[in-house]
Amino acid sequence: MRFLFLLLAVTWLATAPAHAQGPRVALTAAQLAVVINDDEPNSVELGEYYRKARAIPAANMIHVRIPGRPRKLDAEKFDALKAQIDAKLGPEIQAVLMVWTAPYAVECNSLTAAYTLGLDAGLCSNSCNPSKPSPYFNALSRQPMSDFKMRISMQLPTESVAAGEALIDRGVIAGFAQPAATAYFLQTSDAARSSRARNFPRSGVLAQKKLTVKTMQADSLEHVSDIIVYQTGRDFVPKLETLKFLPGALADHLTSLGGDLLGGYQMSSLKWLDAGATASYGSVSEPCNYWQKFPHSTVLLTQYLRGNTAIEAYWKSVAWPAQGVFIGEPLAAPYVR
């Protein structure tokens, strides 16, 4: 029944007249390529589920083989993988979704950043150095490949088929309702991991968007059920099990290794998706606490409210994304209308 609802919803979006759909202001399924690892059964199953849920054109489905699910690729293996993907993409493709959890790093870079911007190999001699700036930071562009010669990318985790399908469902459903929601920005007692607090938006109410913004000094949220954005600075974020995230919610924590998805040294960004968020971000190697290496809170919120998809809003919010991996359902867009 759940999938039937999603299929009907996607069919309506595809066939509704232009005046019903409104202006096209965000990335569409036709502009997204989906890459499946045929050596991983979960990737194959979730890739097909995503194709149906989002009505991805068959020509946009790309198949590769990555045996063994390595967490990190060296430069040579990455170059071969990227060349294999790119050879199958047409000029209309603006973004790429990789349907797997691992690999998620290339040397000291994230896989998504290396794919989109190219490998910043020089950073690996000292990962605390400033990294390559993104020309897409806070851009108005709706076509990153056309405007900047970069295809933004994201990974859809595949640790569980059931969890992956639920994540996809949340992304699709996000486009059909705009409930009253709150964006939470927490400056914690961890001063080093609160370096981006200077970029938090002011608390207030945006009545037209049915959105409340709460910028707080607190170490965690508890028993909150209206989250559309949650950003904080902690190595481990407590009480996630008490929270409810709305479809399309974005959530991340500033820490050194949140993007080491299967590492376990600090809280993995996967935990946000497990808790009910729809997209997240984390660093795969020690970035030090430059705010530029993490999502800029005001930019992220502003771009999302402008109708950008999750992948667009997240990519536009990071000035130096070389070490950060973007994960989740890329086409979620609760404010697209």
Side-chain angles (χ1 to χ4, degrees):
M1 180 61 70
R2 179 181 66 181
F3 186 78
L4 177 60
F5 165 77
L6 291 173
L7 184 59
L8 290 172
V10 170
T11 301
W12 184 87
L13 281 179
T15 60
H19 70 272
Q21 294 185 51
R24 181 172 293 176
V25 296
L27 187 75
T28 67
Q31 297 171 308
L32 178 71
V34 178
V35 186
I36 296 169
N37 177 10
D38 284 342
D39 279 340
E40 183 191 338
N42 284 8
S43 176
V44 174
E45 187 170 350
L46 283 170
E48 177 62 12
Y49 188 88
Y50 193 72
R51 183 189 68 79
K52 293 177 180 178
R54 281 297 190 184
I56 304 294
N60 294 15
M61 304 299 294
I62 311 300
H63 291 263
V64 299
R65 289 193 175 277
I66 309 172
R69 300 181 75 233
R71 299 181 185 182
K72 182 184 294 187
L73 299 177
D74 61 28
E76 183 179 1
K77 290 182 178 178
F78 165 71
D79 286 343
L81 175 64
K82 186 177 190 302
Q84 186 179 1
I85 295 171
D86 288 351
K88 300 176 182 178
L89 303 181
E92 75 282 359
I93 299 299
Q94 303 292 324
V96 172
L97 175 65
M98 304 170 190
V99 186
W100 60 73
T101 304
Y104 49 84
V106 182
E107 307 291 353
C108 71
N109 291 203
S110 76
L111 178 59
T112 53
Y115 179 81
T116 298
L117 291 175
L119 180 64
D120 189 350
L123 184 63
C124 299
S125 61
N126 183 354
S127 64
C128 279
N129 283 337
S131 56
K132 184 186 301 183
S134 169
Y136 194 57
F137 177 65
N138 204 23
L140 294 176
S141 170
R142 297 294 186 180
Q143 300 188 82
M145 183 60 183
S146 302
D147 295 339
F148 300 107
K149 304 303 179 186
M150 54 185 283
R151 289 189 174 101
I152 56 177
S153 56
M154 182 171 273
Q155 293 184 225
L156 180 73
T158 56
E159 294 309 284
S160 160
V161 169
E165 290 179 351
L167 171 63
I168 293 166
D169 293 350
R170 293 197 296 274
V172 174
I173 293 169
F176 290 91
Q178 190 185 107
T182 302
Y184 296 91
F185 302 92
L186 271 60
Q187 181 174 3
T188 72
S189 58
D190 189 333
R193 294 184 174 91
S194 293
S195 60
R196 64 175 167 180
R198 72 188 75 177
N199 300 326
F200 287 172
R202 294 181 180 179
S203 295
V205 176
L206 299 173
Q208 187 177 16
K209 301 291 186 180
K210 297 191 287 185
L211 178 73
T212 300
V213 178
K214 291 187 178 181
T215 295
M216 310 159 58
Q217 290 189 338
D219 281 342
S220 64
L221 291 178
E222 186 174 8
H223 300 299
V224 171
S225 59
D226 63 347
I227 303 171
I228 195 65
V229 177
Y230 181 7
Q231 290 191 313
T232 185
R234 294 286 299 270
D235 52 352
F236 289 89
V237 181
K239 304 176 182 177
L240 292 182
E241 71 281 358
T242 73
L243 305 178
K244 181 178 179 181
F245 293 81
L246 296 174
L250 312 179
D252 60 77
H253 57 308
L254 191 155
T255 195
S256 297
L257 296 172
D260 186 6
L261 301 179
L262 302 176
Y265 177 68
Q266 295 179 338
M267 187 183 105
S268 166
S269 298
L270 292 176
K271 295 295 185 183
W272 290 109
L273 305 188
D274 292 342
T278 303
S280 188
Y281 173 94
S283 177
V284 303
S285 61
E286 176 56 65
C288 293
N289 64 342
Y290 289 103
W291 66 260
Q292 293 94 332
K293 295 186 178 184
F294 294 89
H296 186 296
S297 303
T298 298
V299 173
L300 178 68
L301 181 62
T302 301
Q303 293 288 357
Y304 214 31
L305 291 175
R306 285 177 178 168
N308 283 269
T309 59
I311 188 174
E312 292 170 290
Y314 252 133
W315 262 98
K316 289 178 179 182
S317 75
V318 185
W320 302 346
Q323 292 159 270
V325 61
F326 299 85
I327 62 172
E329 198 288 288
L331 296 180
Y335 297 101
V336 72
R337 298 185 183 282

